[in-house]
Amino acid sequence: MNSVSFIFAFVTSMLFAFAQQPQFTRQDTLRGSITPEREWWDLTYYHLDIAVDPDTKSIKGKNTIHYKVLKSHDILQVDLQPPLKIERVLQNNKELKVMSEGNAHFITLTAPQKENDVNSIQVFYSGKPREAVRAPWDGGISWKKDNNGNHFIASSCQGLGASVWWPNKDHMYDEVDSLLISVTVPKNLMNVSNGRLRKVEEHDNNTKTFHWFVSNPINNYGVNINIGDYVHFKEQYSGEKGTLDMDYYVLRDNLQKAKKQFEDAPKMMKAFEHWFGPYPFYEDSFKLVEVPYLGMEHQSSVTYGNQYTNGYLGTDLSGSGWGLKFDFIIIHEAGHEWFANNITYKDAADMWIHEGFTAYSENLFLDYHFGKKAAEEYVIGTRRNIQNDRPIIGIYNVNHEGSGDMYYKGANILHTLRQLIEDDEKWRSVLRGLNSEFYHQTVTTKQIEEYISAATKIDLTEFFEQYLRTTKIPTLEYHLEKGKLKFRYTNIIKKFDMPVRLFVDDNAKWVQPNAAWQTLDVTGNKVSIDPNFYIDVKQLK
């Protein structure tokens, strides 16, 4: 290759590599980082008070934001996405100056902000929020109608951000301690939100206001509104922390179908309290609420749109058959009450904490109700959905999520961990311990890694590095000849040496491969590798 051709090829390859890297803007940083205008104040309470007009697809109202001063500062960041507009901001009845930069709005405070004081501002806003295109993946507000022509409306905003429909501190690191959400809707409709219904007010202008109170910390995307011609039924569940109210809100025409399909809800609660510990929000009850999209994990107000079918819209994502034994949306979205709503990621890069553990909860539900073999077949079957296109941990401080492999690669990482521990009760104690140690907290992947390593007494440094931060799947190469089993790992990071269980004929053996060839004397003619380990296997001739 001559020098000109070499330079052209080099520049081309560099440009291609650069094009593959995500490009971030200042808006990404303002959304995804703990800015100086966020870090000095701690959320304590929201009162979101809004009126929803279905005919004009608009929202008008205010959010009163209470906060504790951690250190003195005079500029506060609140987020709200266009086309919604902030009309004015008040503190102590005095209007404040607002400087807007895209979705971020910087409020200049004039009153002294003394350390440890608890202050509040009122943010008035209005407009037509972004309409969801493909909820819940491309969220916003879904403005639909039911089969009887009644308005059927719901919010969904994971990833996109809660600021798509209400003004708030739109970063996951700081959860508000409690929340009152008051929603005014036409008189013939009902609004269902998070927590417990405190009261309903009727007004002369043919509207009603529904007041819902959340007494536990809640992440911003977990707050929701659901508006429709709902009917309500309920039951009480005798759980680990006493009596839990389980409430169901469905469209009027679907009541009988819901009473049958939602029998999976108490079965879910029984399985997950066994594996993960007590439901984290007894004080706020548990709700399933029908919506005009597939569903989401809104805290204590889990939304449902799986068309009253088992599986994922009637299909089995695992191909094993076991996925049709339960309603995917009830089990998966409710599993998020433990992993997403109880334990919440601080940064979107760590979203696998939500999705990996919750995808794994699907096979734990099967394990509890149908047995260990069913669970294994299901989770192994979900590997067919893994792309290994990029790492499942994203880029920090810019609201960047990792690969969609965070779901079923995440589940299979955890399933592999269960094999390494061997003792199922110990593994259960790890899962319950996570929900106890990080109860109602926001966390990082590092905290999760360190907790599991400490609880299992296994150094999992290279394990997590390999599976979370690379797309490499370890390949176990082996060769059996004349009683000598030779084996090694390829496609691994430095020092990766995860033990694996194999079978020589029908006899189980543990080996600990690494990058170097090892030899083991065995008696038998046939070798198979335990499929519960998420590795590739290559038999050499």
Side-chain angles (χ1 to χ4, degrees):
M1 182 184 291
N2 62 40
S3 59
V4 173
S5 298
F6 175 80
I7 292 170
F8 177 78
F10 176 76
V11 170
T12 301
S13 65
M14 291 300 290
L15 288 174
F16 178 79
F18 181 75
Q20 304 309 302
Q21 297 297 314
Q23 303 301 303
F24 297 107
T25 66
R26 173 160 167 77
Q27 278 298 302
D28 294 321
T29 299
L30 288 175
R31 170 68 199 288
S33 63
I34 304 173
T35 62
E37 293 77 23
R38 283 173 168 156
E39 68 175 353
W40 67 271
W41 55 288
D42 176 54
L43 279 171
T44 60
Y45 178 73
Y46 284 137
H47 179 195
L48 179 60
D49 186 1
I50 60 173
V52 178
D53 187 336
D55 292 328
T56 61
K57 297 182 177 181
S58 63
I59 295 177
K60 183 179 180 64
K62 67 178 178 179
N63 187 21
T64 303
I65 303 172
H66 296 252
Y67 61 92
K68 181 178 180 180
V69 178
L70 303 178
K71 60 182 179 181
S72 184
H73 203 289
D74 62 351
I75 299 179
L76 181 150
Q77 179 182 340
V78 166
D79 305 284
L80 183 68
Q81 298 179 34
L84 291 171
K85 293 182 179 180
I86 291 180
E87 296 174 345
R88 67 187 190 280
V89 179
L90 302 180
Q91 186 167 65
N92 302 327
N93 293 319
K94 182 176 181 180
E95 189 163 347
L96 303 177
K97 179 182 177 182
V98 181
M99 192 278 286
S100 298
E101 186 177 346
N103 300 337
H105 307 273
F106 299 95
I107 300 161
T108 300
L109 305 171
T110 57
Q113 305 294 311
K114 297 180 181 178
E115 189 173 332
N116 294 322
D117 279 359
V118 176
N119 299 326
S120 66
I121 58 171
Q122 293 176 304
V123 182
F124 294 81
Y125 77 110
S126 64
K128 296 182 178 182
R130 168 175 165 158
E131 188 165 352
V133 178
R134 185 172 165 263
W137 301 279
D138 192 356
I141 303 294
S142 298
W143 306 93
K144 306 292 183 180
K145 289 193 175 181
D146 66 19
N147 291 336
N148 298 316
N150 297 304
H151 288 287
F152 191 25
I153 301 162
S155 62
S156 59
C157 55
Q158 184 181 21
L160 179 62
S163 55
V164 74
W165 67 276
W166 61 289
N168 65 91
K169 189 180 192 177
D170 206 356
H171 192 289
M172 299 289 286
Y173 88 100
D174 189 8
E175 294 187 335
V176 70
D177 298 335
S178 59
L179 163 77
L180 176 62
I181 177 168
S182 304
V183 183
T184 301
V185 297
K187 201 169 188 176
N188 64 315
L189 301 175
M190 178 187 298
N191 172 70
V192 183
S193 290
N194 316 79
R196 293 186 182 271
L197 184 62
R198 276 190 165 176
K199 63 178 179 178
V200 180
E201 291 182 296
E202 295 198 20
H203 308 293
D204 293 336
N205 60 350
N206 288 319
T207 63
K208 287 182 180 178
T209 302
F210 294 81
H211 300 271
W212 295 86
F213 181 72
V214 181
S215 62
N216 288 294
I218 185 170
N219 64 56
N220 44 46
Y221 84 84
V223 178
N224 70 346
I225 54 172
N226 307 289
I227 300 166
D229 181 27
Y230 287 122
V231 291
H232 169 231
F233 65 103
K234 68 181 297 182
E235 62 185 317
Q236 289 187 321
Y237 177 79
S238 181
E240 289 195 14
K241 289 179 68 175
T243 301
L244 172 64
D245 291 323
M246 300 184 71
D247 293 275
Y248 310 113
Y249 293 86
V250 300
L251 292 182
R252 190 172 301 277
D253 290 352
N254 295 332
L255 179 60
Q256 295 309 314
K257 286 190 292 187
K259 285 184 175 180
K260 175 63 177 174
Q261 193 71 8
F262 287 6
E263 289 176 3
D264 265 0
K267 290 173 64 179
M268 169 279 302
M269 196 62 67
K270 193 170 185 65
F272 290 167
E273 286 210 327
H274 170 82
W275 283 107
F276 302 143
Y279 173 69
F281 309 107
Y282 270 72
E283 302 85 355
D284 293 324
S285 77
F286 173 85
K287 292 189 293 298
L288 277 177
V289 188
E290 186 174 0
V291 290
Y293 62 86
L294 188 60
M296 270 291 293
E297 65 259 27
H298 305 105
Q299 183 173 308
S300 71
S301 181
V302 174
T303 50
Y304 176 86
N306 201 37
Q307 299 178 10
Y308 299 98
T309 59
N310 277 3
Y312 180 98
L313 293 173
T315 64
D316 175 11
L317 295 179
S318 76
S320 68
W322 291 110
L324 296 177
K325 298 294 185 181
F326 61 93
D327 188 307
F328 176 93
I329 291 299
I330 294 176
I331 305 310
H332 180 90
E333 303 304 345
H336 276 303
E337 293 281 45
W338 286 264
F339 292 97
N341 299 337
N342 185 38
I343 302 174
T344 308
Y345 64 73
K346 284 186 178 178
D347 191 290
D350 288 334
M351 189 185 284
W352 85 277
I353 297 170
H354 293 197
E355 302 301 351
F357 278 91
T358 304
Y360 181 62
S361 77
E362 297 159 24
N363 87 295
L364 290 181
F365 173 85
L366 284 168
D367 190 301
Y368 188 87
H369 289 290
F370 296 93
K372 194 171 183 178
K373 186 175 183 292
E376 291 174 349
E377 291 176 359
Y378 178 84
V379 72
I380 291 170
T382 63
R383 291 176 190 170
R384 66 184 190 159
N385 302 306
I386 299 172
Q387 302 296 313
N388 277 311
D389 53 348
R390 56 194 176 95
I392 64 176
I393 289 185
I395 299 170
Y396 291 92
N397 299 316
V398 285
N399 195 45
H400 181 263
E401 301 167 8
S403 167
D405 285 345
M406 68 178 78
Y407 288 81
Y408 290 119
K409 185 176 179 180
N412 276 279
I413 290 169
L414 295 169
H415 185 62
T416 300
L417 263 178
R418 180 180 182 177
Q419 313 313 308
L420 296 178
I421 293 169
E422 293 189 86
D423 182 344
D424 285 347
E425 276 306 303
K426 186 173 182 181
W427 179 230
R428 178 174 167 240
S429 73
V430 171
L431 297 173
R432 290 175 66 95
L434 282 167
N435 278 280
S436 175
E437 178 72 14
F438 302 113
Y439 185 72
H440 292 175
Q441 292 182 37
T442 59
V443 301
T444 65
T445 288
K446 187 172 185 292
Q447 287 175 281
I448 298 296
E449 291 179 39
E450 290 177 347
Y451 179 87
I452 295 175
S453 288
T456 60
K457 296 182 172 59
I458 302 173
D459 184 353
L460 295 166
T461 304
E462 282 74 34
F463 176 89
F464 284 120
E465 190 69 25
Q466 174 90 26
Y467 283 112
L468 295 180
R469 298 178 180 87
T470 82
T471 57
K472 296 179 178 181
I473 302 306
T475 299
L476 178 62
E477 296 184 341
Y478 74 93
H479 174 67
L480 176 64
E481 186 175 4
K482 295 179 180 179
K484 301 287 185 183
L485 176 65
K486 295 183 64 177
F487 57 90
R488 72 172 181 180
Y489 276 136
T490 60
N491 203 34
I492 56 173
I493 64 170
K494 189 177 180 180
K495 296 183 179 180
F496 183 86
D497 63 350
M498 179 183 75
V500 64
R501 185 169 46 234
L502 53 81
F503 301 92
V504 182
D505 290 344
D506 292 325
N507 299 313
K509 289 185 178 295
W510 280 91
V511 295
Q512 189 164 9
N514 53 38
W517 282 108
Q518 298 179 53
T519 302
L520 180 68
D521 291 329
V522 298
T523 301
N525 300 310
K526 182 181 177 183
V527 173
S528 60
I529 312 302
D530 189 334
N532 289 295
F533 291 78
Y534 181 43
I535 58 175
D536 290 331
V537 178
K538 184 177 182 181
Q539 182 179 5
L540 303 179
K541 300 299 184 183

